Amino acid sequence: MKMKVKVKYIVLNLLWVSVFSPIFIYTYVVGTFFDPSFSRLDFLDDVAAFTLSGDTSHLHVVPLETSTALKKPVGVVYSDHSANSFPNEMTEHKSTRVLSAASEERQPLLNNPITRAYESQLLAIRLEEQHTLPPGKIEQKEHSVNKSDQMTEAADAQVRRLKDLLIRAKVYISLPAIKSNSRLTRELRLRIKELSRAIGDAAKDTDLPKSAFEKLKAMEQSLEKGKQIQDNCGALIKRLRAMLHSTEDQLRVHKKKTTFLAQLTAKTLPKGLHCLPLRLTTEYYTLNSSQQNFLDEDKLEDPRLYHYALFSDNILAAAVVVNSTISHVKHPSKHVFHIVTDRLNYAAMRMWFLCNSPGKVTIQVQNIEEFTWLNSSYSPVLKQLGSPSIRDYYFRARRSNSVSNLKYRNPKYLSILNHLRFYLPEIFPKLNKVLFLDDDVVVQKDLSDLWSLDLKGNVNGAVETCGERFHRFDWYLNFSHPLISKNFDPHACGWAYGMNIFDLVEWRRQNITEVYHRWQKLNHDRQLWKLGTLPPGLITFWKRIHPLNRSWHVLGLGYNPNVNQREIERAAVIHYNGNLKPWLEIGIPKYRNYWAKYVDYDSVYLRDCNINP
């Protein structure tokens, strides 16, 4: 009897261990999982820890949108206030939905595998950020982000929300399930039309009309109807991806068009600058011969004075260079400006400086046509510029699809004025030093010290531009060509044209002009470099550059909106190199005043041509 009782006791113990105990443990775990007091963050932390230690590639999915516009309204969604309280109504509407729907949406979201994976990734990212940031920075970062979000929310939150609703409506209306419902399709099209009109060109919430909130309510109700018909998330994701790819393609096209139009605008002469030379030319030929001459012409070849070379066909730009320079010199009578222009602008340029005499400064205006020695038999570049292949390169109807080479097709490179800088000893045979200035610079300090600067046997004093990759030799020259790779260093520093002091004595001694001619002949097929003056300048003055302090010449005001303000203020010369010239409407506004303050807008010629600040 005792033996039977003992056997029954053992059997009951075995049943408890093998059957009842697992059932109890499973019941406890399941009950804990669905217990509201169970912390979901603990579960998500476990998932995050798992994904950090394993392969996360399967979690890279497109998260479903959780916008309230596509969810069933819970509780009180709208209130009947006046349209004037639009921002407050939207805030109340948003908070009401979130609070009332939180408990109902919590479990379905957790059960959704896509949402669980997405939340796990967010938690993992936050944990990683907290480990990488210093302890004191975490709270500061959260505070700054929250503050920024609040400012953005107050400025254009509702505008962005309305635009999101438009996008969702356009996605819905393109889905097959919605298209089959003609009534809902017509309704969505009407809502899209109404909401588009309500938004208009609004950039901030204050720009929205009073009826915008009513249109928003109507759109949300229509989208709710669409949600009940279309519940296939895969179709939504597919459509959104297609829209994303289409938008990216459109963005690339618009960027290309923007670049082309910017290049076109830079080549186009504004009406005022077209009118000015016509008006001045007419006035010039009404003068008698004695009135057409400048004073102090005996100073033009005096090597003891400070001589400037300026080659330009832009009268207003040349005037700014002269005006800004003489406003900072201590002894104006010692400064001589040699301005060379083309035949078309010669009379107008002379008339401007005859009427706007810069005081004691000596001015000379020359016509490039008078340089009889500068012909195609002497200058290889002049011969090349007149060749049919070059003209076909610039003016043929079929253009290259590449935007990057648009600047090399600028017809300004056909002008020999651009290449006169390589013939300074021939232009000024009796001078020892010349300061070359581009017509898109503004002088802010006295430059007299440059003439006494020891160039240490070099020919060209220039500011080097080694800050970025595109300022080095390999950006301008073709190092796949053996002639280039054999003779030059691809990582060598480039330097800036636009403000250069040239030692003409050393130039003649080292026969620099012949070096320039030799390389121009080698580049007859444009295989060594594209057209322009900087690439041949880098080659011609290779190892003949004396670097100047960067404060002498600050560049980038014609393309870079982020030039350091302190560098601009301290610079002796600022340079508007690039397409955004200060005399064009596309010029960068915050840099315009540095140039405009040297323009005499009270001049009768500028007023007649409607050239205003």
Side-chain angles (χ1 to χ4, degrees):
M1 185 68 180
K2 290 183 180 181
M3 188 65 178
K4 291 181 179 180
V5 172
K6 190 172 183 180
V7 169
K8 287 181 180 180
Y9 179 75
I10 293 172
V11 170
L12 287 173
N13 284 338
L14 290 173
L15 286 172
W16 172 254
V17 173
S18 61
V19 179
F20 297 112
S21 180
I23 293 174
F24 174 78
I25 293 172
Y26 175 78
T27 305
Y28 174 78
V29 171
V30 172
T32 304
F33 181 79
F34 288 100
D35 187 2
S37 62
F38 174 72
S39 174
R40 307 172 80 72
L41 289 177
D42 294 339
F43 170 75
L44 291 176
D45 286 339
D46 292 340
V47 176
F50 173 75
T51 56
L52 282 173
S53 60
D55 181 17
T56 62
S57 61
H58 63 287
L59 297 180
H60 293 172
V61 296
V62 178
L64 293 176
E65 291 189 355
T66 58
S67 170
T68 57
L70 297 177
K71 295 184 181 300
K72 182 178 180 180
V74 182
V76 178
V77 180
Y78 308 112
S79 58
D80 297 329
H81 296 293
S82 65
N84 294 331
S85 60
F86 176 70
N88 294 331
E89 286 179 331
M90 296 308 300
T91 305
E92 179 182 328
H93 159 60
K94 182 178 179 180
S95 60
T96 304
R97 290 186 62 128
V98 171
L99 290 174
S100 59
S103 61
E104 294 184 24
E105 293 177 354
R106 190 176 184 184
Q107 186 64 35
L109 283 175
L110 185 60
N111 290 336
N112 188 331
I114 296 179
T115 307
R116 280 178 17 195
Y118 181 57
E119 290 182 357
S120 302
Q121 284 184 312
L122 290 179
L123 283 172
I125 292 171
R126 289 172 184 168
L127 288 171
E128 186 176 355
E129 286 182 348
Q130 290 179 359
H131 287 302
T132 56
L133 286 174
K137 294 286 185 181
I138 298 175
E139 185 176 351
Q140 181 180 356
K141 180 181 178 182
E142 292 177 352
H143 175 72
S144 62
V145 170
N146 292 336
K147 185 176 180 181
S148 175
D149 290 343
Q150 290 173 1
M151 293 176 65
T152 307
E153 179 81 15
D156 63 347
Q158 307 312 327
V159 173
R160 287 185 293 165
R161 185 177 181 190
L162 292 172
K163 290 180 178 179
D164 286 343
L165 288 178
L166 274 177
I167 294 174
R168 292 171 193 166
K170 290 176 182 179
V171 172
Y172 265 57
I173 206 171
S174 65
L175 298 175
I178 304 297
K179 283 183 177 180
S180 62
N181 189 323
S182 58
R183 183 177 179 180
L184 181 57
T185 300
R186 288 195 301 270
E187 182 179 337
L188 283 174
R189 285 176 179 169
L190 177 62
R191 299 288 178 254
I192 290 173
K193 189 176 181 179
E194 291 176 345
L195 205 58
S196 298
R197 288 178 178 176
I199 296 175
D201 298 328
K204 298 181 294 185
D205 294 350
T206 55
D207 299 333
L208 292 171
K210 295 180 180 180
S211 61
F213 182 59
E214 296 299 326
K215 300 293 187 296
L216 180 143
K217 291 194 294 183
M219 175 63 85
E220 285 189 332
Q221 291 170 0
S222 298
L223 289 174
E224 182 60 30
K225 295 177 185 178
K227 179 185 175 183
Q228 295 173 3
I229 297 175
Q230 173 65 45
D231 57 356
N232 185 358
C233 294
L236 282 172
I237 293 172
K238 185 178 180 179
R239 178 58 183 164
L240 287 171
R241 282 177 176 167
M243 291 179 66
L244 177 61
H245 294 157
S246 176
T247 304
E248 288 175 346
D249 290 339
Q250 291 179 16
L251 179 61
R252 282 192 290 270
V253 171
H254 286 308
K255 281 184 176 179
K256 190 172 181 178
K257 288 182 177 179
T258 300
T259 303
F260 174 77
L261 291 174
Q263 295 283 349
L264 182 62
T265 305
K267 303 170 191 175
T268 304
L269 191 67
K271 288 183 179 179
L273 296 184
H274 179 70
C275 162
L276 184 60
L278 295 177
R279 179 83 167 80
L280 289 167
T281 300
T282 303
E283 291 290 330
Y284 179 77
Y285 286 112
T286 62
L287 302 178
N288 58 50
S289 58
S290 62
Q291 294 174 318
Q292 294 178 352
N293 296 323
F294 291 98
L295 301 176
D296 299 329
E297 292 188 354
D298 57 314
K299 295 182 179 180
L300 298 179
E301 297 180 345
D302 188 347
R304 298 170 298 177
L305 302 179
Y306 304 121
H307 293 267
Y308 303 83
L310 176 60
F311 310 138
S312 175
D313 58 0
N314 188 325
I315 296 166
L316 201 58
V320 168
V321 175
V322 174
N323 291 343
S324 63
T325 304
I326 64 176
S327 64
H328 297 96
V329 298
K330 297 177 181 177
H331 306 288
S333 59
K334 295 183 178 180
H335 295 260
V336 182
F337 278 88
H338 304 269
I339 303 172
V340 181
T341 188
D342 56 17
R343 178 174 55 185
L344 186 64
N345 294 280
Y346 173 69
M349 190 76 76
R350 289 183 68 89
M351 186 64 192
W352 175 267
F353 286 104
L354 286 170
C355 295
N356 299 275
S357 178
K360 297 180 180 180
V361 173
T362 302
I363 298 289
Q364 179 190 30
V365 178
Q366 294 176 279
N367 183 357
I368 194 173
E369 302 290 339
E370 298 173 358
F371 300 156
T372 55
W373 51 266
L374 187 60
N375 50 59
S376 57
S377 61
Y378 174 68
S379 172
V381 70
L382 195 60
K383 183 178 181 179
Q384 292 168 14
L385 292 178
S387 67
S389 62
I390 292 290
R391 295 192 176 277
D392 181 63
Y393 178 79
Y394 280 109
F395 298 111
R396 64 185 175 182
R398 182 175 58 84
R399 298 289 186 177
S400 171
N401 293 327
S402 174
V403 175
S404 61
N405 70 353
L406 283 175
K407 65 179 181 179
Y408 300 119
R409 295 177 178 269
N410 193 329
K412 73 177 183 179
Y413 296 129
L414 287 173
S415 172
I416 192 60
L417 282 175
N418 239 7
H419 299 268
L420 278 183
R421 62 194 69 188
F422 294 102
Y423 298 101
L424 292 175
E426 288 82 359
I427 299 172
F428 309 111
K430 296 185 179 180
L431 299 183
N432 298 330
K433 279 189 177 181
V434 168
L435 181 64
F436 169 78
L437 294 176
D438 263 340
D439 63 358
D440 56 351
V441 305
V442 173
V443 179
Q444 300 188 129
K445 294 182 180 179
D446 188 0
L447 305 179
S448 302
D449 291 343
L450 289 173
W451 278 267
S452 59
L453 185 67
D454 182 10
L455 298 183
K456 300 179 180 178
N458 292 299
V459 178
N460 183 357
V463 170
E464 291 184 331
T465 55
C466 298
E468 302 178 36
R469 175 186 171 274
F470 66 86
H471 286 149
R472 298 185 182 273
F473 270 47
D474 60 347
W475 182 259
Y476 301 101
L477 305 177
N478 179 19
F479 275 87
S480 62
H481 198 287
L483 277 176
I484 297 296
S485 58
K486 179 181 178 180
N487 290 280
F488 305 101
D489 178 7
H491 304 295
C493 281
W495 45 268
Y497 253 135
M499 197 285 295
N500 308 81
I501 184 71
F502 287 102
D503 187 336
L504 301 186
V505 176
E506 281 295 322
W507 186 312
R508 297 182 187 100
R509 190 181 68 82
Q510 299 183 32
N511 202 7
I512 298 300
T513 303
E514 183 56 34
V515 174
Y516 169 68
H517 283 172
R518 184 171 69 252
W519 281 103
Q520 280 289 359
K521 291 176 182 177
L522 292 171
N523 192 46
H524 64 92
D525 54 357
R526 300 186 303 281
Q527 295 300 310
L528 305 185
W529 69 84
K530 298 295 183 181
L531 292 181
T533 53
L534 183 55
L538 296 177
I539 287 179
T540 301
F541 297 104
W542 169 247
K543 295 184 178 180
R544 299 179 177 94
I545 296 293
H546 177 76
L548 302 178
N549 188 284
R550 293 178 63 88
S551 63
W552 279 108
H553 187 189
V554 169
L555 299 101
L557 279 72
Y559 70 89
N560 181 9
N562 300 311
V563 180
N564 187 286
Q565 190 67 28
R566 291 185 62 187
E567 290 184 0
I568 294 175
E569 300 294 339
R570 292 184 299 182
V573 173
I574 55 176
H575 195 170
Y576 293 84
N577 58 311
N579 287 329
L580 310 180
K581 303 299 185 186
W583 54 83
L584 299 175
E585 290 185 3
I586 61 174
I588 302 174
K590 66 178 180 178
Y591 301 146
R592 193 186 301 275
N593 188 56
Y594 294 110
W595 183 85
K597 65 182 179 181
Y598 294 107
V599 179
D600 181 14
Y601 289 105
D602 294 328
S603 168
V604 62
Y605 299 108
L606 298 189
R607 291 202 307 268
D608 289 347
C609 292
N610 293 321
I611 299 176
N612 303 305

